[in-house]
Each structure stands twice: as C-alpha cells, then as structure tokens.
Amino acid sequence: MTAVETIDARRVDELRLLEAESVHIIREVVAELERPVLLFSAGKDSIVLLRLAEKAFRPAPVPFPVLHVDTGHNFPEVIEFRDRRLAAGGHRLIVASVQDSIDSGRVREDGAAGGSRNRLQTRTLLDALEAGRFDAAFGGARRDEERARAKERVLSFRDEFGQWDPRAQRPEPWSLYNGRIRRGEQVRVFPLSNWTELDIWRYIELERLELPSIYFAHEREVFERDGILLATSEFTDPGATEVRSEWVRYRTVGDLTITGAVRSRATEIASVIAEISAATVSERGETRADDRTSAAAMEDRKREGYF
C-alpha cells in the first residue's frame, strides 16, 4: 500500500492544493526578483520547502542556493542530515556562521554557560544576505506557529536595514503578489504561510520525505529548565542530579540550548501525526525557551531582521 493510499483522498487533494499554491509563489518570486536564496535549517518545514522548490523547477535544478545560519550549537543529527540531503539533491550550500560573527566582533556572546545564540543569528543572517546580494529569501515560517508570524504577508518586505514593520506590509488580494522593491530592500518569502503543522507532517508522509532522526522518539539524556526538557551537550551546564534518561522527540529544530523535547514513544510517522492531531499548543509555544522571554519576543526579533 502506498503512502497516498493510507491518506484520505480529500486530504490528499487539500495537500496538493497547498503544494500548488506554494510552487506558484516560488515561481512568481524567481520570475520577479534577481537573486533569491532559500533559508534551510534542516527542520521539517525547510525540508518541505526544499522539496517544493525542487518540484517548482523540475527537471531543471533549483536556480538558487541554500543558506543555513549556523549557531554552532546544533544537534549533530541535524547537521549530518543537512549535508547529506543537500549533497544528494545537488544543491549549493552557503553556511553563515554565528561563530564567525563572534570572532569578527560583529556580535557579542554573553558568555553564560548554556546561553542561547538565537538572537545572534539576526546579524549573521543580515550580513550573509548583504554579502550574497540576495534580494529575496525563502523561509519555512507558517502563520500558525506564533502570533508575530501570523501577521506576516506571504511576501514580507524589509527595508534597507533588513528591518520589518508589520504596519507597512503590502496587501495581497486574491493571492496577487507585488514583488517590486527599491535598491537595498529585501523580501522574505513564506510559501508555507497557509500550511499548519499537521499539513506539514501529512505532506511528509505523502511524499515519503526523510527527516533528521530527532523528530522521532528516542532515548536521550535530558534535564529540565523552566518546564522545558533540554538535551545535555557540551554547550549546556546542568547539575549532576538533574540529568535523566527519557524517551523524547522534537517538534522543532533550533539551537539545542533552548530547543526543548517532548516526552513521546512515537517512533514512526503515523504515531507522530496522531500526537500532533491531539496537541493544543504550537510547537514553538511548547518547546522554544526563547519565545517565552516576553509576549512579543518573536515580533521584537523580526523587527530587527530575524526571519
């Protein structure tokens, strides 16, 4: 039995409509703008986005590079997957390193043990976009993730400093997109805006997409901080009595110092979909410590240039 046969036909039609919309957006941006790039974290959303870009131009190669903003505090399983997936697809990878930004004095690390580098990504991303002269950056953000992302248009315009003003976004009536920009401006493009987390997982099942292993339940040493289960690593500093082994999986990929796991025994995709269907909190709300610093934490970062 194929993956298509295991999914309700109506849901397959819904997924194909979402796919067609996203492919249309990608093609429109490439037709209107000169130097796009695709932001890739090797997380589930960017994996789906990459597949959609491949479909948009098949059988030709994807006509733009892939950019990963690397905090240096990564899950090793994710980096291994990133390199293997992009090499297999023949994609050109650009790595923008937060560590390089620190070493060059572009950003300053607070030095605290277990400190997150997530906020440092913004400067690294803006520098990489400027160095590559990229005028459009495809991202895998979805409107259901977080309230600030719900304010985004599909084409999100940034000024010459890379900053976002939610009150100055262009209307998109009838899914018509205006990609005209002045010199120095940028566009962040979100082809997955109308997808939900459940849509993403059902599409992964439908297309049989491979994911990093951390998305499925496995036994891992973790410790708890403010109600979030964090992985032990060389970048974290838990007390000796705090560490325990639990069965967990991850709903989202990010800096491992602030990305929490959820307790789970879901070792295959059908079980994950069942868990997501019953979830009442978004993946960022449940597992990202950086989004808990304030009610407007994500919006503040997006105004500064975060994707």
Side-chain angles (χ1 to χ4, degrees), residues 3-15 205-206:
V4 174
E5 291 170 334
T6 67
I7 305 174
D8 179 85
R10 177 179 57 83
R11 286 180 176 159
V12 172
D13 289 343
E14 291 171 354
L15 291 173
E205 180 185 32
L206 179 64

Side-chain angles (χ1 to χ4, degrees), residues 233-269:
S233 75
E234 62 183 297
F235 309 115
T236 54
D237 189 28
T241 60
E242 295 182 284
V243 176
R244 57 186 184 270
S245 182
E246 295 214 32
W247 275 85
V248 300
R249 67 176 182 83
Y250 288 84
R251 291 179 67 184
T252 181
V253 162
D255 187 318
L256 61 75
T257 65
I258 47 84
T259 302
V262 295
R263 294 179 178 88
S264 176
R265 290 279 180 168
T267 58
E268 42 83 31
I269 195 164

Side-chain angles (χ1 to χ4, degrees), residues 33-37 65 67 92 94 125-137 181 183-187:
L33 292 145
E34 296 181 0
R35 292 183 65 83
V37 68
L67 171 64
R92 180 165 71 91
I94 300 169
L125 170 63
L126 293 175
D127 286 349
L129 294 176
E130 182 178 2
R133 295 183 290 111
F134 298 118
D135 53 10
I181 59 173
R183 184 178 298 276
E185 292 180 331
Q186 304 167 359
V187 183

